[in-house]
Amino acid sequence: MGTEGGDRHHGADPRDLRVIGQPLLKVDARSKVTGATQFADDLSLPRMLYMKLLRSTEAHARIVRIDTSEAEALAGVHAVITGADLPIPFGILPVSQDEHALCPEKVRMIGDPVAAVAAVDEEVALRACQLIAVEYEPLRPIGSRRASKL
Amino acid sequence: MPSPAKVLATLTVNAQEHQVAFAPHKSLLEVLREDLGLTGTKHGCELGECGTCAVQVDGVPVLSCLVLALESVGKQIATVEGMADGPELHPLQVAFAELGAAQCGYCTPGILLTAEALLREDRAPDRQTIRRALAGNLCRCTGYLKIYEAVELAAARLRGEPAEPARETVRGH
């Protein structure tokens, strides 16, 4: 170290630096330790709606049809959408624009999201999800490398 | 299906009495956050696995997601909002801020409440005792080391020792 340290800081004595190399409080340290920091789940707005996802019960299947009419008719439900409402794929990288927020035609795991409900509260949204009828045509799930060769 | 009728109850949170109406099936966590607006107590797994919802009931750390609010009537409930004395932070809060033991901050309130209960029982816990006390509180940011060091620093200051953070802790060398 010795003389090299001086060069690293363009000749400045590290002891004179007010930020570099100094222990500093994070700008949000106080709000983090007092519980004041607002995370997404902590936000509450007037007339806020709650969203619930209906997820696939099949590991691998084609979605034949989704009937959302009963869910939409439930009091307190504001919107029900499925993969058909979100046809444009997206992705973090420009080369992999192949993701869908809701499965458009096929589910590839138990838990794949197939529909979303927005409602006045969590319980109504959950009940609406239970009223959505999804007809699946099961496909052979491939659970291992060996199964993929058959 | 109509929602169940609400009950009116008095909860004592951070030494203040609150009259609050809530559905009787609600957990203490839900009532604190949704009905009293005390969102410092965090909503994690709802399964008693992560520890982020920890509060103190009559001085003992409990997971507020596993306790009915109705069970807490007549007891002293303490949350992170009550830790500081006005603008004066609790020594644990100071140490967590100084050492970067609160990073994203989501586990911090539960850990602070759990650690505070530990330090009231044991003024000088060793590292192993702190690890055991905080074993139910998951943190995905810090790797726990800074949290243990912050509890040790706060414990020393609470004993009246003029403790400073170790150079290696704050500078990494």
Side-chain angles (χ1 to χ4, degrees), chain A:
Chain A
M1 292 279 273
T3 52
E4 287 171 6
D7 291 341
R8 268 210 326 254
H9 300 300
H10 301 281
D13 186 331
R15 281 168 298 188
D16 296 335
L17 297 172
R18 286 186 299 125
V19 175
I20 294 172
Q22 303 303 321
L24 297 171
L25 280 191
K26 289 187 177 73
V27 289
D28 55 1
R30 191 183 172 93
S31 70
K32 293 281 172 72
V33 300
T34 54
T37 302
Q38 296 264 293
F39 294 82
D41 194 32
D42 302 329
L43 302 175
S44 181
L45 297 167
R47 302 180 305 284
M48 181 168 84
L49 298 180
Y50 291 77
M51 196 272 287
K52 281 280 176 194
L53 293 171
L54 177 70
R55 295 177 177 278
S56 170
T57 54
E58 301 292 315
H60 191 197
R62 198 174 305 284
I63 300 170
V64 180
R65 81 176 62 77
I66 305 180
D67 183 356
T68 60
S69 55
E70 270 191 63
E72 280 165 48
L74 185 68
V77 172
H78 282 243
V80 183
I81 58 171
T82 67
D85 297 302
L86 304 167
I88 303 168
F90 63 93
I92 291 174
L93 299 174
V95 294
S96 58
Q97 303 287 312
D98 58 358
E99 293 179 44
H100 289 270
L102 298 170
C103 298
E105 52 177 26
K106 237 177 146 182
V107 293
R108 292 181 172 82
M109 62 172 189
I110 293 172
D112 242 359
V114 297
V117 173
V120 287
D121 64 35
E122 217 176 324
E123 277 142 51
V124 172
L126 199 61
R127 229 175 299 149
C129 281
Q130 291 160 352
L131 294 174
I132 299 172
V134 185
E135 188 185 325
Y136 293 107
E137 176 198 332
L139 301 170
R140 186 172 64 93
I142 298 166
S144 70
R145 185 165 54 89
R146 193 167 297 160
S148 71
K149 294 204 307 191
L150 294 175

Side-chain angles (χ1 to χ4, degrees), chain B:
Chain B
M1 193 168 74
S3 295
K6 290 184 174 181
V7 292
L8 189 63
T10 303
L11 292 176
T12 310
V13 185
N14 302 325
Q16 272 197 314
E17 290 195 351
H18 298 268
Q19 259 215 336
V20 56
F22 54 87
H25 61 77
K26 279 186 125 177
S27 66
L28 177 58
L29 172 68
E30 290 170 322
V31 172
L32 286 172
R33 290 176 53 82
E34 298 166 14
D35 300 295
L36 293 174
L38 294 169
T39 55
T41 303
K42 295 301 170 211
H43 183 174
C45 66
E46 273 191 26
L47 298 166
E49 291 176 0
C50 74
T52 194
C53 69
V55 299
Q56 290 178 10
V57 176
D58 286 344
V60 178
V62 299
L63 300 174
S64 63
C65 74
L66 299 183
V67 178
L68 288 175
L70 277 178
E71 294 176 272
S72 315
V73 172
K75 297 179 178 172
Q76 293 290 334
I77 301 156
T79 71
V80 69
E81 286 90 345
M83 269 191 96
D85 183 9
E88 200 73 36
L89 295 182
H90 185 279
L92 273 164
Q93 293 174 305
V94 174
F96 271 64
E98 274 180 34
L99 299 191
Q103 196 170 319
C104 91
Y106 208 78
C107 71
T108 307
I111 291 184
L112 287 171
L113 271 295
T114 309
E116 200 276 333
L118 168 70
L119 296 187
R120 263 188 292 108
E121 294 231 318
D122 186 345
R123 296 175 70 233
D126 60 17
R127 180 66 62 92
Q128 195 53 35
T129 307
I130 297 170
R131 288 170 66 106
R132 204 172 302 128
L134 296 179
N137 296 80
L138 300 185
C139 171
R140 301 291 78 172
C141 300
T142 63
Y144 300 103
L145 189 58
K146 286 163 187 254
I147 292 171
Y148 301 148
E149 289 171 339
V151 175
E152 287 163 354
L153 181 64
R157 287 173 178 166
L158 281 164
R159 292 192 301 269
E161 299 164 22
E164 285 303 314
R167 185 187 159 85
E168 199 191 337
T169 300
V170 289
R171 289 176 188 271
H173 61 83

